[in-house]
Amino acid sequence: MKWTATITKIGKQAIEPKGNMVILFGENVTPELVDVSVIQKFNAQTPVSSFIMKKGDTITIDGQTYIADFVGSMVTSDMRALGHVTLFFNQKKSKNPLANGVYFTIEDKQTMPEFNIGDDIVYEHI
């Protein structure tokens, strides 16, 4: 199954190149979180209400596909309720990983993706 979301807004402090972490929220995000979040709107043909993500599933951003090494226990429910997930690129999963986090290992030729308004994010449950 695939879900497609379009980036509709990028908060002023949402992208930290050295941080390798991005917080995503749906359009119902609270004003306090807008500045630190990338806002996404799911396509009507792929409603977020049916979202599922497990280890081994993929996300494609900026033409690059990443495979999930770890998917926190709250990812599916937070995405369905709020369009919310925290993406970690090339960070080792800690002893207490975030319950709403998805951790990805960046392959040799990959970099952290760029996030641009109007770009799609494609989530694929394999």
Side-chain angles (χ1 to χ4, degrees):
M1 294 183 70
K2 283 187 185 181
W3 295 267
T4 301
T6 302
I7 297 170
T8 60
K9 186 171 185 170
I10 299 173
K12 295 174 190 148
Q13 301 167 4
I15 309 294
E16 276 195 50
K18 293 182 182 179
N20 292 339
M21 178 190 86
V22 177
I23 300 169
L24 299 172
F25 268 101
E27 294 191 303
N28 296 341
V29 65
T30 62
E32 300 83 38
L33 294 171
V34 170
D35 279 348
V36 296
S37 302
V38 172
I39 310 304
Q40 60 182 343
K41 179 179 182 180
F42 279 82
N43 183 313
Q45 284 76 39
T46 59
V48 73
S49 59
S50 64
F51 185 86
I52 301 169
M53 188 166 215
K54 305 278 185 202
K55 179 179 178 177
D57 289 350
T58 63
I59 187 170
T60 302
I61 307 165
D62 188 34
Q64 298 184 82
T65 300
Y66 305 89
I67 299 170
D69 291 331
F70 175 84
V71 178
S73 61
M74 297 292 295
V75 169
T76 295
S77 61
D78 282 0
M79 282 289 274
R80 288 180 179 182
L82 306 166
H84 171 56
V85 67
T86 303
L87 306 179
F88 293 93
F89 296 93
N90 240 22
Q91 289 189 22
K92 295 277 187 211
K93 179 181 67 123
S94 67
K95 289 182 183 178
N96 297 309
L98 281 183
N100 66 351
V102 179
Y103 294 75
F104 302 96
T105 300
I106 296 179
E107 301 299 324
D108 290 340
K109 296 178 182 177
Q110 286 183 316
T111 59
M112 183 173 158
E114 286 192 26
F115 291 80
N116 298 294
I117 293 173
D119 284 358
D120 285 340
I121 300 172
V122 179
Y123 302 87
E124 187 168 7
H125 176 62
I126 300 174

